[in-house]
């Protein structure tokens, strides 16, 4: 099923989407495609806070910017943002990929688990336990696939990869001040 | 988080651990120090000394299960006024006293019909074994009441064995998906828990097995600390939209509950009503938890007794008392507690800890095993550690296979029946043909604290602290002379 919306949408547009293709020509409000399970959601404009929050699967493409907490607690979704993302994006991200073609705000990937973050532009201060990691061939191919699916002109080699240092996975007294 | 963080205490209370909170009595020589005239310090008692020593030695704070251990004003501090001359009792065992409750008729097309007003609180698969979850479902279904999922998603064991299942919608959204929303009979949006209002879920690495990790999309063996705020809404205006989304995806069929940990219940209930809740779940600070910091359990939140009248005020001020149901939990142990909660204005109660005890938690027959892990029957609270010899708060297949879900479920059903019958005994004595007819006027308080919190007069007086004293107006003539 394909749903096409001409104009802006409010809260939770395409929330919990399963299988459908949702095309939004305009901007999106809070919680775009939150908890999406599968399918494709494409927004030509920008998205408000918590885009793709807790989403398990599918592809979310935002041509413009995404506000704070994009991909918060994501659980397997792929998100491609053409512009910038706000602070605390990919907070506690568990699985999936967040591709940021612009810049990322402060606190990127705070308390991240096994999700992958790719950033082309600048990053602010990284969140706790989020570190830059080498971009290996398997990441290049993953990025190529996502950029192609999202119809983006960027080249995968232009991106840096971020992920979990896995230092906070288990409580340890020496990390008391890292939180 | 401030100065310290802690790992689990895998062996429970350590040998340096508390003598007063543990089973030990006397000293090594067997002579009771108190008999020698030695006096324990009330401020620095043995549990306090042990806690300070433990912090100094390990740099760790304590994480444990269960609810607040300190003595708090509670239902024990209330008494019922049985009927006599001025009230008419119902015949015990003979006259009817109904127990059914309907939850969620405000907006839901399919409200929940319960045969008894005692439900099973949300406890996650992960914190509990699959066998324990199955037993909860079996026990509740046997007596016509509901069970609730928890912070970790819905399991087949639970859905399959629960006639009525409430699906929790939590900040972590672990395993949350539209199929399970639709398979549920009601949805409970969790804002907080009485044991830790303002805190998120916690499940330590010992319990994050392959299955639990898979359900939650987490790496195996990590110490999971869930979010304390929902990721995609903040205030009540957002919650209203969130509730509308949940209704839409479930075809406006299912009641939507909102669960709050008791801290500012008047405002939280008022806002939950505004956001469109069908029912409120109010959990007081005695409420159990699977794993929380001791300092949080003992020092954050307000007692169940103090929370109920404030919640009822909010419902009454909105003109929705009894239309939006109030489900109360936190330290409910018996039919007396059920009757008191209902008399104060609740429509139903939930039990967590008492249900686990019915399944077999803290069974004296397991005392030797509890001692091996540094605890004792009656004291076991290391529900976070996953070593439960009763097979309840564990993910170890060897331990969990010890729990027979059929027999344990039946024990729970027995407890639920007893609690209901006890509440009926009290209700009949107060002249009530339905448990929900119990009213505040049936209660008096035993302590000044309870009188102030529950807003019932101190027994034998008409004094409610903080309210102007209004003596009952004397009869115009003595009763015997009233009739011509
Ligand atoms: C083992 C255990 C696990 C729990 N897990 C959850 C949970 O996942 N979500 C939740 O809202 N409350 C959870 N709770 C709290 C209960 O839902 C309930 O509020 C509390 O147990 C009621 O108090 P009581 O234990 O004194 O009956 C848990 C409690 C226990 C004992």
């Amino acid at each position: 099923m394909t749903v096409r919306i001409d104009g802006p949408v409010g809260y939770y547009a395409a929330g919990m989407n399963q299988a459908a293709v949702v095309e939004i020509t305009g901007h999106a409000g809070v919680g775009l495609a939150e908890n999406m399970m599968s399918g494709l959601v494409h927004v030509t404009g920008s998205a408000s806070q918590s885009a793709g929050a807790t989403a398990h699967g599918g592809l979310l493409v935002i041509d413009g910017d995404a506000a704070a907490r994009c991909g918060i607690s994501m659980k397997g979704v792929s998100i491609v943002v053409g512009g910038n993302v706000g602070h605390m994006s990919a907070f506690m991200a568990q699985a999936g990929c967040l591709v940021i073609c612009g810049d990322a705000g402060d606190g990127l990937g705070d308390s991240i688990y096994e999700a992958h973050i790719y950033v082309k532009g600048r990053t602010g201060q990284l969140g706790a336990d989020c570190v830059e990691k080498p971009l290996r061939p398997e990441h290049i191919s993953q990025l190529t696939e996502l950029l192609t699916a999202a119809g983006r002109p960027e080249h995968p080699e232009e991106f840096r990869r971020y992920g979990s240092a896995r230092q906070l996975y288990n409580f340890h007294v020496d990390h008391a001040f890292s939180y | 988080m401030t100065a310290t963080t802690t790992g689990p205490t895998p062996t429970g209370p350590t040998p340096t651990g508390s003598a007063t909170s543990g089973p030990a009595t006397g000293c090594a020589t067997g002579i009771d120090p108190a008999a020698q005239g030695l006096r324990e310090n009330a401020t620095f008692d043995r549990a306090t000394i042990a806690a300070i020593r433990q912090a100094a030695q390990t740099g760790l704070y304590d994480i444990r299960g269960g609810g607040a251990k300190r003595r708090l004003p509670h239902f024990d501090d209330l008494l019922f006024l049985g009927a006599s001359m001025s009230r008419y009792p119902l015949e015990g065992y003979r006259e009817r006293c109904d127990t059914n409750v309907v939850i969620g008729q405000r907006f839901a097309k399919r409200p929940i019909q319960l045969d008894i007003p005692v439900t099973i609180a949300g406890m996650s698969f992960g914190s509990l074994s699959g066998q324990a979850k199955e037993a909860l479902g079996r026990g509740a279904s046997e007596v016509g009441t509901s069970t609730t999922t928890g912070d970790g998603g819905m399991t087949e064991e639970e859905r399959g064995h629960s006639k009525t299942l409430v699906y929790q919608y939590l900040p972590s959204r672990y395993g949350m998906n539209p199929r399970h929303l639709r398979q549920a009979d009601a949805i409970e949006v969790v804002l907080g828990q009485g044991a830790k209002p303002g805190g998120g879920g916690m499940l330590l690495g010992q319990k994050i097995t392959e299955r639990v990790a898979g359900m939650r999309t987490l790496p195996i063996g990590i110490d999971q600390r869930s979010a304390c705020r929902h990721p995609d809404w903040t205030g009540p205006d957002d919650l209203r939209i969130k509730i509308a989304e949940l209704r839409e995806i479930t075809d406006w069929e299912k009641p939507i509950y909102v669960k709050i940990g008791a801290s500012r219940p008047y405002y939280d209930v008022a806002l939950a009503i505004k956001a469109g809740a069908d029912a409120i779940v109010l959990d007081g600070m005695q409420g159990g938890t699977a794993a929380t910091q001791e300092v949080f359990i003992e020092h954050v939140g307000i007692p169940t007794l103090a929370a109920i009248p404030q919640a009822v005020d909010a419902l009454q001020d909105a003109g929705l008392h009894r239309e939006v149901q109030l489900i109360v939990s936190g330290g409910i142990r018996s039919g007396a507690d059920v009757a008191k909660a209902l008399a104060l204005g609740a429509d139903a109660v939930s039990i967590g800890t008492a249900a686990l005890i019915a399944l077999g938690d803290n069974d004296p027959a397991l005392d030797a095993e509890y001692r091996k892990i540094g605890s004792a029957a009656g004291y076991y609270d290391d529900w976070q550690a996953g070593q439960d010899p009763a097979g309840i708060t564990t993910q170890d297949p060897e331990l969990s296979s010890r729990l027979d879900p059929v027999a344990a479920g039946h024990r729970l059903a027995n407890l639920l029946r007893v609690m209901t019958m006890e509440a009926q005994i009290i209700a009949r004595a107060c002249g009530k043909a339905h448990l929900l007819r119990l009213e505040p006027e049936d209660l008096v308080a035993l302590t000044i604290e309870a009188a102030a919190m529950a807003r019932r007069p101190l027994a034998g007086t008409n004094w409610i602290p903080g309210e102007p004293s209004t003596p009952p107006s004397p009869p115009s003539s003595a009763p015997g002379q009233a009739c011509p």
Side-chain angles (χ1 to χ4, degrees), chain B residues 121-123 127 150-151 168 193 259 283 286-288 290 330-331 351-353 383:
Chain B
M123 295 181 275
S127 76
D151 193 10
Q168 285 198 331
Q193 257 178 264
K259 176 172 180 174
D283 192 26
Q286 293 97 328
I351 58 168
T353 304
W383 299 347

Side-chain angles (χ1 to χ4, degrees), chain B residues 206-228:
Chain B
Q206 299 92 318
K207 288 170 135 182
I208 311 274
T209 59
E210 196 177 341
R211 181 174 178 205
V212 174
M215 281 179 68
R216 300 182 188 214
T217 325
L218 287 173
I220 295 167
I222 62 142
D223 292 327
Q224 167 225 303
R225 287 144 291 160
S226 326
C228 65

Side-chain angles (χ1 to χ4, degrees), chain B residues 368-409:
Chain B
E369 297 210 48
Y370 286 124
R371 283 178 191 269
K372 273 191 230 154
I373 52 173
S375 187
Y379 296 87
Y380 185 62
D381 64 5
D382 285 315
W383 299 347
Q384 82 290 348
Q387 297 178 310
D388 185 357
I392 297 167
T393 57
T394 182
Q395 291 300 318
D396 178 329
E398 193 275 312
L399 293 173
S400 58
S401 68
R402 295 181 185 182
L403 187 75
D404 173 356
V406 177

